[in-house]
Amino acid sequence: MKKININTQSRSYDVNIGKNILTQMISVLKESDGEVLFICDKNVYDLHREKIISLTDSRKHHLYLFNSSERNKTLKSVELIYKYLKKHNFSRTDKIVAIGGGIVGDITGYVAATYMRGIQYYQVPTTLLSMVDSSVGGKTGVNFLNVKNLIGSFHQPEKVYIDLAFLSTLPDREIISGAGEIFKYAFLSDEENYLIIRDYLLKILLQRKFHENMISRCIQFKASVVEKDEFEKSGLRKILNLGHTFAHGFESALRFKIKHGEAVIAGVFCSLIISKKIGLITDLELHKFASDFEFLPVNTKVFRVDTENIIRYMKSDKKTSGNRIKLVLVSKPGNVFIDVEVTEKLIKESVVELSELFESV
């Protein structure tokens, strides 16, 4: 088992990574005198029923099953959870546990951040994407008016328990989605990290091999950024948004018919195309990046989406200011540029060139 300590301005907490490690969380919760609400993805419950029941067997433990989807990641769903908490007399001394992927983690975190102005919560991520990214860092939120995570808050968890056993039942599409979020990390450090992540992603997709060392590598990098810029004020944390302004535009324009990580794959490649178009990388370098990661499938739905619609949603993104679209771009692994203002013309051209890029590698 690995343990990573994260020290932010608002809270310090541990991320525990291993296989079948949830007994640790049971011990921690049993020491607590308060009530505990487990908000669990219904699919996870169906697949891991015995494990979930073992967590909730105390009379003070409550189970709330959530139909996890981007369409259900709304204020209406938040309101229903508030009603459950109020009905069962939850107070600020009680706790909430999120068991599921990024959607469950985001909505649970937002509930915990806002119910009675904040109560403690724990993250138990069950998808590859939530393990390497969304369960750590304290970003919470819900979708509003079809805009991804338009409403949210920063609220760090008390602890994170990453149990690799959950990955055994993960569908192939969820593995691709998780790989998309790891793909981003390849460009945020140095050339050595780039090559390690490239080789690891190939093993994930071809052999379904998951190793705690790679998950901890992603978390440790994210932790090093979040610790310096927890609330995204200095700008450093924005590097973690590589490909994400595009991704959120794709997700919203396609009415969330693609997974977040699938959208990130397309978004990172579009960002690389723009990096080439404005002279940060050469055409040869762009094709090398595309060749190195050609095994990452790009969901073909993004090739058919209306670019005007993408632009509209990108302008609604939290990272946009003054109706101007700003992106995170790269010149080489580890050399990242934030807040690069780009034109609508460049955005549209990059989406069109995305399909052409993979025809040529």
Side-chain angles (χ1 to χ4, degrees):
M1 187 191 82
K2 286 184 176 291
K3 180 180 287 188
I4 301 169
N5 182 253
I6 299 179
N7 295 291
T8 67
Q9 180 182 333
S10 60
R11 178 177 293 119
S12 294
Y13 58 96
D14 291 332
V15 178
N16 303 282
I17 309 169
K19 209 162 190 178
N20 299 313
I21 62 169
L22 294 188
T23 52
Q24 294 182 23
M25 187 176 69
I26 294 174
S27 300
V28 170
L29 294 176
K30 281 184 176 178
E31 293 174 2
S32 171
D33 293 329
E35 306 286 319
V36 181
L37 174 63
F38 291 83
I39 300 177
C40 183
D41 183 321
K42 189 177 183 302
N43 287 330
V44 174
Y45 178 77
D46 291 341
L47 291 167
H48 301 273
R49 189 180 300 256
E50 289 185 12
K51 182 179 292 189
I52 306 304
I53 289 174
S54 71
L55 294 174
T56 60
D57 62 356
S58 167
R59 65 178 181 82
K60 291 186 176 183
H61 291 180
H62 306 251
L63 178 62
Y64 185 100
L65 296 181
F66 180 71
N67 287 311
S68 180
S69 72
E70 291 287 354
R71 291 182 179 275
N72 286 339
K73 191 179 167 184
T74 63
L75 288 174
K76 178 62 178 176
S77 295
V78 169
E79 183 180 343
L80 292 174
I81 299 172
Y82 286 155
K83 287 180 178 178
Y84 186 96
L85 291 167
K86 183 67 175 69
K87 178 182 177 181
H88 292 88
N89 299 313
F90 270 68
S91 71
R92 295 183 73 180
T93 60
D94 298 321
K95 298 175 175 60
I96 307 179
V97 179
I99 306 176
I103 294 172
V104 172
D106 280 359
I107 199 168
T108 299
Y110 184 69
V111 168
T114 52
Y115 183 75
M116 292 189 173
R117 296 197 178 97
I119 63 176
Q120 295 180 358
Y121 83 110
Y122 295 73
Q123 287 269 20
V124 181
T126 61
T127 64
L128 182 61
L129 186 148
S130 58
M131 289 180 183
V132 300
D133 190 72
S134 62
S135 63
V136 173
K139 280 189 175 181
T140 76
V142 295
N143 305 331
F144 187 68
L145 298 179
N146 206 45
V147 178
K148 179 93 170 184
N149 295 335
L150 186 63
I151 296 175
S153 177
F154 290 93
H155 190 53
Q156 301 290 347
E158 289 297 306
K159 288 182 185 294
V160 180
Y161 292 91
I162 296 177
D163 189 339
L164 301 181
F166 283 114
L167 296 176
S168 65
T169 56
L170 208 59
D172 288 344
R173 197 173 171 197
E174 285 290 352
I175 293 174
I176 292 169
S177 184
E181 200 67 67
I182 297 172
F183 177 37
K184 165 194 74 180
Y185 286 110
F187 295 92
L188 300 185
S189 186
D190 53 24
E191 182 72 22
E192 180 184 7
N193 179 71
Y194 173 92
L195 295 173
I196 289 171
I197 286 184
R198 181 198 64 184
D199 295 345
Y200 180 72
L201 283 177
L202 191 57
K203 289 180 180 178
I204 286 178
L205 294 183
L206 296 184
Q207 303 172 23
R208 289 185 66 105
K209 284 192 175 180
F210 308 102
H211 200 284
E212 61 185 41
N213 284 339
M214 180 49 59
I215 291 172
S216 66
R217 171 180 286 268
C218 293
I219 291 172
Q220 284 171 331
F221 182 86
K222 183 170 185 177
S224 70
V225 173
V226 171
E227 288 175 347
K228 295 183 182 74
D229 185 22
E230 180 179 5
F231 302 110
E232 215 168 72
K233 290 182 178 179
S234 71
L236 176 61
R237 186 165 180 167
K238 290 180 181 179
I239 68 172
L240 299 173
N241 294 323
L242 175 62
H244 280 59
T245 300
F246 268 112
H248 294 165
F250 285 133
E251 288 177 89
S252 293
L254 289 165
R255 302 288 174 178
F256 301 108
K257 291 178 181 175
I258 63 173
K259 298 285 185 182
H260 175 64
E262 292 176 318
V264 171
I265 292 172
V268 171
F269 280 125
C270 283
S271 297
L272 291 172
I273 290 169
I274 289 184
S275 292
K276 184 263 296 187
K277 294 177 82 66
I278 67 172
L280 291 178
I281 60 176
T282 65
D283 189 63
L284 188 64
E285 288 170 325
L286 171 63
H287 279 78
K288 177 188 181 302
F289 293 147
S291 178
D292 281 348
F293 290 97
E294 64 179 332
F295 57 84
L296 284 176
V298 177
N299 191 311
T300 56
K301 287 186 175 69
V302 303
F303 301 145
R304 299 188 294 272
V305 68
D306 179 21
T307 53
E308 290 290 346
N309 215 11
I310 295 173
I311 296 289
R312 180 164 67 89
Y313 283 113
M314 288 177 78
K315 286 183 175 180
S316 298
D317 190 80
K318 299 178 295 301
K319 297 171 284 299
T320 298
S321 61
N323 215 33
R324 295 172 298 176
I325 298 174
K326 296 180 179 181
L327 300 178
V328 180
L329 302 177
V330 298
S331 63
K332 63 179 181 179
N335 200 6
V336 184
F337 300 82
I338 63 170
D339 291 334
V340 181
E341 188 174 335
V342 297
T343 65
E344 294 182 20
K345 181 174 180 290
L346 277 175
I347 296 289
K348 293 175 183 178
E349 288 176 351
S350 69
V351 175
V352 172
E353 289 185 28
L354 181 61
S355 61
E356 298 172 358
L357 177 64
F358 285 92
E359 289 174 358
S360 61
V361 296

